Amino acid sequence: MRTAILASGRGSNLQALIKACASGSLPIEIVAVGSEQLGAAALERAKEAGIPTRVFQVRDYPHRQAQEEDLLIWMRENQVELLLLAGYMRVLGPQFIRQANFPVMNIHPSLLPAFPGLHAQRQALEYGVKVSGCTVHLVDEGLDSGPIILQEAVSVLPGDTEESLAQRILEVEHRLYPEAVRRLVLGKVERTGRRVQILLQEGLE
Ligand code: GRF
């Protein structure tokens, strides 16, 4: 499945997806990596893997919608069938979501619907939860509000800082995201409204 990835930062989830593809465990072809951040480490990781990259800096466009229209054109040119957000720091607008004729997935570092938006790990620590985690979900027009595909819990430990919790969650993210994508592309994800059922398959459970 021809897949594009949008990433704004360090790109460790992007790297995990590239690795899963290379090992043969994830049957997608990453055809393009985009970012709105010039110089994002994620772009370097993509280049090292031989994946074409493009930068869509918001300030180069008259308004946000124009940037998203350009993103869509780029995805159509690349015949994208699946879009993965991997630390993409902008919310895609409703127009984009309506016009995207392919699934869009995201990973978020909390157990949604708790702590959507920025600094999810800080929010979790400040709230005082004992368990947080990460969520892979389909992207809808809201903020981290789309149907949930997979979640996994991570304990919050006494003495955790934002960094230590983020790191522990990240290790799970790197396994959970490729796993969720794999299930989707293998047709094992069945959706009824908000509810997503993962169909059982030998070797996956
Ligand atoms: C991850 O924590 C992800 O859940 C969130 O942004 C972070 C991206 O990290 N959406 P990286 O750039 O993949 O290392």
Side-chain angles (χ1 to χ4, degrees), residues 7-16 41-42 45 85-89 106-110 117 120-121 133-135 144 166 169-170 173-174 177:
S8 306
R10 153 186 73 186
S12 70
N13 276 288
L14 168 75
Q15 193 74 62
R45 294 186 195 249
L85 306 183
Y88 186 61
M89 297 307 284
N106 183 40
I107 186 153
H108 183 77
S110 76
Q121 303 92 337
C134 51
T135 303
D144 299 323
I169 294 174
L170 208 55
E173 291 185 39
H174 295 162
Y177 207 2

PDB file of all heavy atoms in Angstrom, residues 7-16 41-42 45 85-89 106-110 117 120-121 133-135 144 166 169-170 173-174 177, ligand 1:
ATOM      1  N   ALA A   7       5.707  14.146   9.369  1.00  0.00           N
ATOM      2  CA  ALA A   7       6.400  14.191  10.661  1.00  0.00           C
ATOM      3  C   ALA A   7       7.033  15.566  10.824  1.00  0.00           C
ATOM      4  O   ALA A   7       7.580  16.111   9.873  1.00  0.00           O
ATOM      5  CB  ALA A   7       7.471  13.113  10.723  1.00  0.00           C
ATOM      6  N   SER A   8       6.978  16.097  12.040  1.00  0.00           N
ATOM      7  CA  SER A   8       7.520  17.449  12.258  1.00  0.00           C
ATOM      8  C   SER A   8       8.845  17.456  12.998  1.00  0.00           C
ATOM      9  O   SER A   8       9.532  18.468  13.009  1.00  0.00           O
ATOM     10  CB  SER A   8       6.546  18.280  13.088  1.00  0.00           C
ATOM     11  OG  SER A   8       5.283  18.291  12.509  1.00  0.00           O
ATOM     12  N   GLY A   9       9.167  16.353  13.690  1.00  0.00           N
ATOM     13  CA  GLY A   9      10.288  16.461  14.627  1.00  0.00           C
ATOM     14  C   GLY A   9      11.342  15.404  14.461  1.00  0.00           C
ATOM     15  O   GLY A   9      11.847  15.145  13.370  1.00  0.00           O
ATOM     16  N   ARG A  10      11.590  14.752  15.579  1.00  0.00           N
ATOM     17  CA  ARG A  10      12.701  13.803  15.695  1.00  0.00           C
ATOM     18  C   ARG A  10      12.534  12.576  14.795  1.00  0.00           C
ATOM     19  O   ARG A  10      13.493  12.021  14.286  1.00  0.00           O
ATOM     20  CB  ARG A  10      12.712  13.459  17.187  1.00  0.00           C
ATOM     21  CG  ARG A  10      13.211  12.204  17.671  1.00  0.00           C
ATOM     22  CD  ARG A  10      12.930  12.147  19.160  1.00  0.00           C
ATOM     23  NE  ARG A  10      11.503  11.947  19.397  1.00  0.00           N
ATOM     24  CZ  ARG A  10      10.937  11.963  20.580  1.00  0.00           C
ATOM     25  NH1 ARG A  10      11.634  12.216  21.652  1.00  0.00           N
ATOM     26  NH2 ARG A  10       9.649  11.744  20.700  1.00  0.00           N
ATOM     27  N   GLY A  11      11.294  12.112  14.631  1.00  0.00           N
ATOM     28  CA  GLY A  11      11.051  11.037  13.664  1.00  0.00           C
ATOM     29  C   GLY A  11      11.348   9.638  14.151  1.00  0.00           C
ATOM     30  O   GLY A  11      11.613   8.753  13.344  1.00  0.00           O
ATOM     31  N   SER A  12      11.247   9.412  15.472  1.00  0.00           N
ATOM     32  CA  SER A  12      11.544   8.045  15.925  1.00  0.00           C
ATOM     33  C   SER A  12      10.423   7.072  15.529  1.00  0.00           C
ATOM     34  O   SER A  12      10.693   5.898  15.258  1.00  0.00           O
ATOM     35  CB  SER A  12      11.802   8.008  17.432  1.00  0.00           C
ATOM     36  OG  SER A  12      10.633   8.250  18.163  1.00  0.00           O
ATOM     37  N   ASN A  13       9.187   7.552  15.479  1.00  0.00           N
ATOM     38  CA  ASN A  13       8.114   6.673  14.995  1.00  0.00           C
ATOM     39  C   ASN A  13       8.269   6.397  13.503  1.00  0.00           C
ATOM     40  O   ASN A  13       8.020   5.282  13.041  1.00  0.00           O
ATOM     41  CB  ASN A  13       6.741   7.283  15.292  1.00  0.00           C
ATOM     42  CG  ASN A  13       6.292   6.968  16.701  1.00  0.00           C
ATOM     43  OD1 ASN A  13       5.934   5.836  17.021  1.00  0.00           O
ATOM     44  ND2 ASN A  13       6.334   7.967  17.574  1.00  0.00           N
ATOM     45  N   LEU A  14       8.656   7.426  12.767  1.00  0.00           N
ATOM     46  CA  LEU A  14       8.945   7.231  11.339  1.00  0.00           C
ATOM     47  C   LEU A  14       9.996   6.141  11.177  1.00  0.00           C
ATOM     48  O   LEU A  14       9.855   5.218  10.367  1.00  0.00           O
ATOM     49  CB  LEU A  14       9.443   8.544  10.727  1.00  0.00           C
ATOM     50  CG  LEU A  14      10.053   8.423   9.331  1.00  0.00           C
ATOM     51  CD1 LEU A  14       8.979   8.235   8.288  1.00  0.00           C
ATOM     52  CD2 LEU A  14      10.897   9.639   9.001  1.00  0.00           C
ATOM     53  N   GLN A  15      11.049   6.224  12.011  1.00  0.00           N
ATOM     54  CA  GLN A  15      12.130   5.239  11.940  1.00  0.00           C
ATOM     55  C   GLN A  15      11.613   3.834  12.240  1.00  0.00           C
ATOM     56  O   GLN A  15      11.997   2.875  11.576  1.00  0.00           O
ATOM     57  CB  GLN A  15      13.216   5.621  12.955  1.00  0.00           C
ATOM     58  CG  GLN A  15      14.509   4.871  12.768  1.00  0.00           C
ATOM     59  CD  GLN A  15      15.282   5.363  11.561  1.00  0.00           C
ATOM     60  OE1 GLN A  15      15.669   6.510  11.513  1.00  0.00           O
ATOM     61  NE2 GLN A  15      15.478   4.499  10.576  1.00  0.00           N
ATOM     62  N   ALA A  16      10.733   3.730  13.222  1.00  0.00           N
ATOM     63  CA  ALA A  16      10.178   2.418  13.571  1.00  0.00           C
ATOM     64  C   ALA A  16       9.367   1.851  12.405  1.00  0.00           C
ATOM     65  O   ALA A  16       9.406   0.641  12.128  1.00  0.00           O
ATOM     66  CB  ALA A  16       9.309   2.532  14.825  1.00  0.00           C
ATOM     67  N   ALA A  41      14.548  16.418  11.926  1.00  0.00           N
ATOM     68  CA  ALA A  41      15.378  15.207  11.906  1.00  0.00           C
ATOM     69  C   ALA A  41      14.673  14.080  11.150  1.00  0.00           C
ATOM     70  O   ALA A  41      15.319  13.235  10.516  1.00  0.00           O
ATOM     71  CB  ALA A  41      15.685  14.781  13.335  1.00  0.00           C
ATOM     72  N   ALA A  42      13.353  14.076  11.198  1.00  0.00           N
ATOM     73  CA  ALA A  42      12.584  13.046  10.487  1.00  0.00           C
ATOM     74  C   ALA A  42      12.917  13.041   8.993  1.00  0.00           C
ATOM     75  O   ALA A  42      12.987  11.975   8.370  1.00  0.00           O
ATOM     76  CB  ALA A  42      11.088  13.291  10.698  1.00  0.00           C
ATOM     77  N   ARG A  45      16.119  11.212   8.419  1.00  0.00           N
ATOM     78  CA  ARG A  45      15.931   9.756   8.552  1.00  0.00           C
ATOM     79  C   ARG A  45      15.322   9.189   7.265  1.00  0.00           C
ATOM     80  O   ARG A  45      15.708   8.116   6.807  1.00  0.00           O
ATOM     81  CB  ARG A  45      15.003   9.443   9.721  1.00  0.00           C
ATOM     82  CG  ARG A  45      15.571   9.817  11.085  1.00  0.00           C
ATOM     83  CD  ARG A  45      14.605   9.296  12.127  1.00  0.00           C
ATOM     84  NE  ARG A  45      14.791   9.832  13.454  1.00  0.00           N
ATOM     85  CZ  ARG A  45      15.245   9.123  14.497  1.00  0.00           C
ATOM     86  NH1 ARG A  45      15.603   7.870  14.336  1.00  0.00           N
ATOM     87  NH2 ARG A  45      15.334   9.667  15.679  1.00  0.00           N
ATOM     88  N   LEU A  85       0.388   9.937  10.299  1.00  0.00           N
ATOM     89  CA  LEU A  85       0.952  11.086  11.003  1.00  0.00           C
ATOM     90  C   LEU A  85       1.860  10.536  12.096  1.00  0.00           C
ATOM     91  O   LEU A  85       1.444   9.690  12.898  1.00  0.00           O
ATOM     92  CB  LEU A  85      -0.165  11.937  11.614  1.00  0.00           C
ATOM     93  CG  LEU A  85      -1.263  12.394  10.644  1.00  0.00           C
ATOM     94  CD1 LEU A  85      -2.267  13.281  11.370  1.00  0.00           C
ATOM     95  CD2 LEU A  85      -0.680  13.113   9.436  1.00  0.00           C
ATOM     96  N   ALA A  86       3.094  11.003  12.093  1.00  0.00           N
ATOM     97  CA  ALA A  86       4.064  10.497  13.078  1.00  0.00           C
ATOM     98  C   ALA A  86       4.739  11.706  13.712  1.00  0.00           C
ATOM     99  O   ALA A  86       5.813  12.126  13.299  1.00  0.00           O
ATOM    100  CB  ALA A  86       5.072   9.579  12.399  1.00  0.00           C
ATOM    101  N   GLY A  87       4.040  12.288  14.679  1.00  0.00           N
ATOM    102  CA  GLY A  87       4.576  13.500  15.293  1.00  0.00           C
ATOM    103  C   GLY A  87       4.422  14.701  14.380  1.00  0.00           C
ATOM    104  O   GLY A  87       5.281  15.574  14.363  1.00  0.00           O
ATOM    105  N   TYR A  88       3.326  14.738  13.615  1.00  0.00           N
ATOM    106  CA  TYR A  88       3.037  15.917  12.790  1.00  0.00           C
ATOM    107  C   TYR A  88       2.330  16.920  13.696  1.00  0.00           C
ATOM    108  O   TYR A  88       1.290  16.609  14.278  1.00  0.00           O
ATOM    109  CB  TYR A  88       2.152  15.543  11.601  1.00  0.00           C
ATOM    110  CG  TYR A  88       1.923  16.687  10.629  1.00  0.00           C
ATOM    111  CD1 TYR A  88       2.991  17.274   9.961  1.00  0.00           C
ATOM    112  CD2 TYR A  88       0.637  17.173  10.385  1.00  0.00           C
ATOM    113  CE1 TYR A  88       2.789  18.324   9.072  1.00  0.00           C
ATOM    114  CE2 TYR A  88       0.435  18.217   9.491  1.00  0.00           C
ATOM    115  CZ  TYR A  88       1.514  18.789   8.843  1.00  0.00           C
ATOM    116  OH  TYR A  88       1.317  19.826   7.960  1.00  0.00           O
ATOM    117  N   MET A  89       2.916  18.102  13.850  1.00  0.00           N
ATOM    118  CA  MET A  89       2.498  19.016  14.913  1.00  0.00           C
ATOM    119  C   MET A  89       1.377  19.972  14.499  1.00  0.00           C
ATOM    120  O   MET A  89       1.138  20.954  15.199  1.00  0.00           O
ATOM    121  CB  MET A  89       3.698  19.810  15.431  1.00  0.00           C
ATOM    122  CG  MET A  89       4.759  18.929  16.080  1.00  0.00           C
ATOM    123  SD  MET A  89       4.100  17.858  17.376  1.00  0.00           S
ATOM    124  CE  MET A  89       3.914  19.051  18.677  1.00  0.00           C
ATOM    125  N   ASN A 106      -2.992   8.240  13.172  1.00  0.00           N
ATOM    126  CA  ASN A 106      -2.114   9.035  14.029  1.00  0.00           C
ATOM    127  C   ASN A 106      -1.754   8.218  15.267  1.00  0.00           C
ATOM    128  O   ASN A 106      -2.493   7.318  15.660  1.00  0.00           O
ATOM    129  CB  ASN A 106      -2.841  10.313  14.457  1.00  0.00           C
ATOM    130  CG  ASN A 106      -1.971  11.224  15.300  1.00  0.00           C
ATOM    131  OD1 ASN A 106      -0.783  11.391  15.044  1.00  0.00           O
ATOM    132  ND2 ASN A 106      -2.563  11.807  16.331  1.00  0.00           N
ATOM    133  N   ILE A 107      -0.627   8.560  15.870  1.00  0.00           N
ATOM    134  CA  ILE A 107      -0.294   7.996  17.178  1.00  0.00           C
ATOM    135  C   ILE A 107      -0.188   9.130  18.177  1.00  0.00           C
ATOM    136  O   ILE A 107       0.364  10.195  17.870  1.00  0.00           O
ATOM    137  CB  ILE A 107       0.983   7.130  17.155  1.00  0.00           C
ATOM    138  CG1 ILE A 107       1.169   6.465  18.521  1.00  0.00           C
ATOM    139  CG2 ILE A 107       2.221   7.928  16.728  1.00  0.00           C
ATOM    140  CD1 ILE A 107       1.919   5.182  18.480  1.00  0.00           C
ATOM    141  N   HIS A 108      -0.744   8.889  19.362  1.00  0.00           N
ATOM    142  CA  HIS A 108      -0.785   9.930  20.385  1.00  0.00           C
ATOM    143  C   HIS A 108      -0.289   9.345  21.706  1.00  0.00           C
ATOM    144  O   HIS A 108      -0.688   8.242  22.090  1.00  0.00           O
ATOM    145  CB  HIS A 108      -2.218  10.459  20.528  1.00  0.00           C
ATOM    146  CG  HIS A 108      -2.313  11.573  21.512  1.00  0.00           C
ATOM    147  ND1 HIS A 108      -1.919  12.855  21.221  1.00  0.00           N
ATOM    148  CD2 HIS A 108      -2.728  11.591  22.806  1.00  0.00           C
ATOM    149  CE1 HIS A 108      -2.086  13.624  22.276  1.00  0.00           C
ATOM    150  NE2 HIS A 108      -2.581  12.879  23.255  1.00  0.00           N
ATOM    151  N   PRO A 109       0.552  10.091  22.439  1.00  0.00           N
ATOM    152  CA  PRO A 109       1.157   9.532  23.652  1.00  0.00           C
ATOM    153  C   PRO A 109       0.308   9.668  24.914  1.00  0.00           C
ATOM    154  O   PRO A 109       0.779  10.177  25.934  1.00  0.00           O
ATOM    155  CB  PRO A 109       2.471  10.315  23.768  1.00  0.00           C
ATOM    156  CG  PRO A 109       2.152  11.646  23.183  1.00  0.00           C
ATOM    157  CD  PRO A 109       1.125  11.408  22.104  1.00  0.00           C
ATOM    158  N   SER A 110      -0.940   9.212  24.835  1.00  0.00           N
ATOM    159  CA  SER A 110      -1.780   9.075  26.035  1.00  0.00           C
ATOM    160  C   SER A 110      -2.870   8.066  25.707  1.00  0.00           C
ATOM    161  O   SER A 110      -3.042   7.685  24.546  1.00  0.00           O
ATOM    162  CB  SER A 110      -2.433  10.411  26.435  1.00  0.00           C
ATOM    163  OG  SER A 110      -3.512  10.717  25.567  1.00  0.00           O
ATOM    164  N   GLY A 117      -4.109  16.596  22.468  1.00  0.00           N
ATOM    165  CA  GLY A 117      -3.370  17.838  22.203  1.00  0.00           C
ATOM    166  C   GLY A 117      -1.911  17.757  22.628  1.00  0.00           C
ATOM    167  O   GLY A 117      -1.361  16.675  22.833  1.00  0.00           O
ATOM    168  N   ALA A 120       0.993  15.736  26.099  1.00  0.00           N
ATOM    169  CA  ALA A 120       0.110  14.739  26.722  1.00  0.00           C
ATOM    170  C   ALA A 120       0.754  14.120  27.965  1.00  0.00           C
ATOM    171  O   ALA A 120       0.067  13.863  28.960  1.00  0.00           O
ATOM    172  CB  ALA A 120      -0.216  13.654  25.704  1.00  0.00           C
ATOM    173  N   GLN A 121       2.069  13.910  27.909  1.00  0.00           N
ATOM    174  CA  GLN A 121       2.733  13.283  29.060  1.00  0.00           C
ATOM    175  C   GLN A 121       2.749  14.249  30.249  1.00  0.00           C
ATOM    176  O   GLN A 121       2.553  13.842  31.389  1.00  0.00           O
ATOM    177  CB  GLN A 121       4.170  12.871  28.700  1.00  0.00           C
ATOM    178  CG  GLN A 121       4.275  11.940  27.505  1.00  0.00           C
ATOM    179  CD  GLN A 121       4.468  12.677  26.186  1.00  0.00           C
ATOM    180  OE1 GLN A 121       4.115  13.846  26.052  1.00  0.00           O
ATOM    181  NE2 GLN A 121       5.008  11.985  25.197  1.00  0.00           N
ATOM    182  N   GLY A 133      -0.200   5.911  28.562  1.00  0.00           N
ATOM    183  CA  GLY A 133       0.050   4.961  27.486  1.00  0.00           C
ATOM    184  C   GLY A 133       0.019   5.641  26.139  1.00  0.00           C
ATOM    185  O   GLY A 133       0.330   6.835  26.035  1.00  0.00           O
ATOM    186  N   CYS A 134      -0.344   4.889  25.118  1.00  0.00           N
ATOM    187  CA  CYS A 134      -0.433   5.495  23.789  1.00  0.00           C
ATOM    188  C   CYS A 134      -1.598   4.905  23.015  1.00  0.00           C
ATOM    189  O   CYS A 134      -2.094   3.824  23.333  1.00  0.00           O
ATOM    190  CB  CYS A 134       0.877   5.362  23.025  1.00  0.00           C
ATOM    191  SG  CYS A 134       1.543   3.710  22.960  1.00  0.00           S
ATOM    192  N   THR A 135      -2.009   5.662  22.010  1.00  0.00           N
ATOM    193  CA  THR A 135      -3.203   5.331  21.231  1.00  0.00           C
ATOM    194  C   THR A 135      -2.899   5.497  19.753  1.00  0.00           C
ATOM    195  O   THR A 135      -2.373   6.533  19.351  1.00  0.00           O
ATOM    196  CB  THR A 135      -4.353   6.306  21.595  1.00  0.00           C
ATOM    197  OG1 THR A 135      -4.599   6.252  23.003  1.00  0.00           O
ATOM    198  CG2 THR A 135      -5.628   5.964  20.834  1.00  0.00           C
ATOM    199  N   ASP A 144      -7.327  14.737  17.999  1.00  0.00           N
ATOM    200  CA  ASP A 144      -7.046  13.416  18.588  1.00  0.00           C
ATOM    201  C   ASP A 144      -8.329  12.691  18.986  1.00  0.00           C
ATOM    202  O   ASP A 144      -8.396  12.031  20.026  1.00  0.00           O
ATOM    203  CB  ASP A 144      -6.112  13.564  19.814  1.00  0.00           C
ATOM    204  CG  ASP A 144      -4.770  14.178  19.438  1.00  0.00           C
ATOM    205  OD1 ASP A 144      -4.251  13.880  18.347  1.00  0.00           O
ATOM    206  OD2 ASP A 144      -4.240  14.983  20.232  1.00  0.00           O
ATOM    207  N   ALA A 166       7.718  10.052  28.822  1.00  0.00           N
ATOM    208  CA  ALA A 166       7.655  10.105  27.356  1.00  0.00           C
ATOM    209  C   ALA A 166       8.495   8.990  26.747  1.00  0.00           C
ATOM    210  O   ALA A 166       8.067   8.319  25.802  1.00  0.00           O
ATOM    211  CB  ALA A 166       8.139  11.464  26.863  1.00  0.00           C
ATOM    212  N   ILE A 169       6.805   5.602  27.175  1.00  0.00           N
ATOM    213  CA  ILE A 169       5.666   5.486  26.257  1.00  0.00           C
ATOM    214  C   ILE A 169       6.164   5.286  24.823  1.00  0.00           C
ATOM    215  O   ILE A 169       5.625   4.474  24.067  1.00  0.00           O
ATOM    216  CB  ILE A 169       4.746   6.731  26.351  1.00  0.00           C
ATOM    217  CG1 ILE A 169       4.088   6.791  27.740  1.00  0.00           C
ATOM    218  CG2 ILE A 169       3.681   6.706  25.266  1.00  0.00           C
ATOM    219  CD1 ILE A 169       3.270   8.056  28.003  1.00  0.00           C
ATOM    220  N   LEU A 170       7.234   6.013  24.491  1.00  0.00           N
ATOM    221  CA  LEU A 170       7.767   5.962  23.128  1.00  0.00           C
ATOM    222  C   LEU A 170       8.180   4.538  22.737  1.00  0.00           C
ATOM    223  O   LEU A 170       7.971   4.113  21.600  1.00  0.00           O
ATOM    224  CB  LEU A 170       8.970   6.908  23.037  1.00  0.00           C
ATOM    225  CG  LEU A 170       9.287   7.530  21.686  1.00  0.00           C
ATOM    226  CD1 LEU A 170       8.102   8.262  21.093  1.00  0.00           C
ATOM    227  CD2 LEU A 170      10.454   8.496  21.850  1.00  0.00           C
ATOM    228  N   GLU A 173       5.160   2.929  21.691  1.00  0.00           N
ATOM    229  CA  GLU A 173       4.704   3.509  20.414  1.00  0.00           C
ATOM    230  C   GLU A 173       5.378   2.831  19.226  1.00  0.00           C
ATOM    231  O   GLU A 173       4.746   2.525  18.220  1.00  0.00           O
ATOM    232  CB  GLU A 173       5.026   5.009  20.360  1.00  0.00           C
ATOM    233  CG  GLU A 173       4.213   5.862  21.305  1.00  0.00           C
ATOM    234  CD  GLU A 173       4.498   7.345  21.103  1.00  0.00           C
ATOM    235  OE1 GLU A 173       4.669   7.790  19.964  1.00  0.00           O
ATOM    236  OE2 GLU A 173       4.555   8.076  22.116  1.00  0.00           O
ATOM    237  N   HIS A 174       6.682   2.609  19.374  1.00  0.00           N
ATOM    238  CA  HIS A 174       7.460   2.077  18.247  1.00  0.00           C
ATOM    239  C   HIS A 174       7.024   0.669  17.855  1.00  0.00           C
ATOM    240  O   HIS A 174       7.269   0.236  16.742  1.00  0.00           O
ATOM    241  CB  HIS A 174       8.952   2.100  18.583  1.00  0.00           C
ATOM    242  CG  HIS A 174       9.477   3.496  18.754  1.00  0.00           C
ATOM    243  ND1 HIS A 174      10.654   3.786  19.388  1.00  0.00           N
ATOM    244  CD2 HIS A 174       8.951   4.690  18.376  1.00  0.00           C
ATOM    245  CE1 HIS A 174      10.844   5.102  19.383  1.00  0.00           C
ATOM    246  NE2 HIS A 174       9.817   5.667  18.785  1.00  0.00           N
ATOM    247  N   TYR A 177       2.552   1.263  16.746  1.00  0.00           N
ATOM    248  CA  TYR A 177       2.153   1.928  15.489  1.00  0.00           C
ATOM    249  C   TYR A 177       2.293   0.984  14.286  1.00  0.00           C
ATOM    250  O   TYR A 177       1.315   0.766  13.556  1.00  0.00           O
ATOM    251  CB  TYR A 177       2.951   3.228  15.310  1.00  0.00           C
ATOM    252  CG  TYR A 177       2.249   4.291  14.477  1.00  0.00           C
ATOM    253  CD1 TYR A 177       0.966   4.097  13.966  1.00  0.00           C
ATOM    254  CD2 TYR A 177       2.866   5.500  14.193  1.00  0.00           C
ATOM    255  CE1 TYR A 177       0.328   5.083  13.211  1.00  0.00           C
ATOM    256  CE2 TYR A 177       2.235   6.491  13.439  1.00  0.00           C
ATOM    257  CZ  TYR A 177       0.974   6.267  12.947  1.00  0.00           C
ATOM    258  OH  TYR A 177       0.344   7.241  12.199  1.00  0.00           O
TER     259      TYR A 177
HETATM  260  C1  GRF B   1       5.291  10.846  19.712  1.00  0.00           C
HETATM  261  O1  GRF B   1       5.236  10.850  21.115  1.00  0.00           O
HETATM  262  C2  GRF B   1       3.903  10.721  19.123  1.00  0.00           C
HETATM  263  O2  GRF B   1       3.040   9.939  19.889  1.00  0.00           O
HETATM  264  C3  GRF B   1       3.427  12.143  19.083  1.00  0.00           C
HETATM  265  O3  GRF B   1       4.560  12.899  18.758  1.00  0.00           O
HETATM  266  C4  GRF B   1       5.735  12.204  19.166  1.00  0.00           C
HETATM  267  C5  GRF B   1       6.585  12.065  17.956  1.00  0.00           C
HETATM  268  O4  GRF B   1       7.850  11.537  18.259  1.00  0.00           O
HETATM  269  N1  GRF B   1       2.321  12.306  18.165  1.00  0.00           N
HETATM  270  P1  GRF B   1       8.824  11.111  17.087  1.00  0.00           P
HETATM  271  O5  GRF B   1       9.061  12.352  16.225  1.00  0.00           O
HETATM  272  O6  GRF B   1       8.168  10.008  16.301  1.00  0.00           O
HETATM  273  O7  GRF B   1      10.087  10.664  17.747  1.00  0.00           O
END
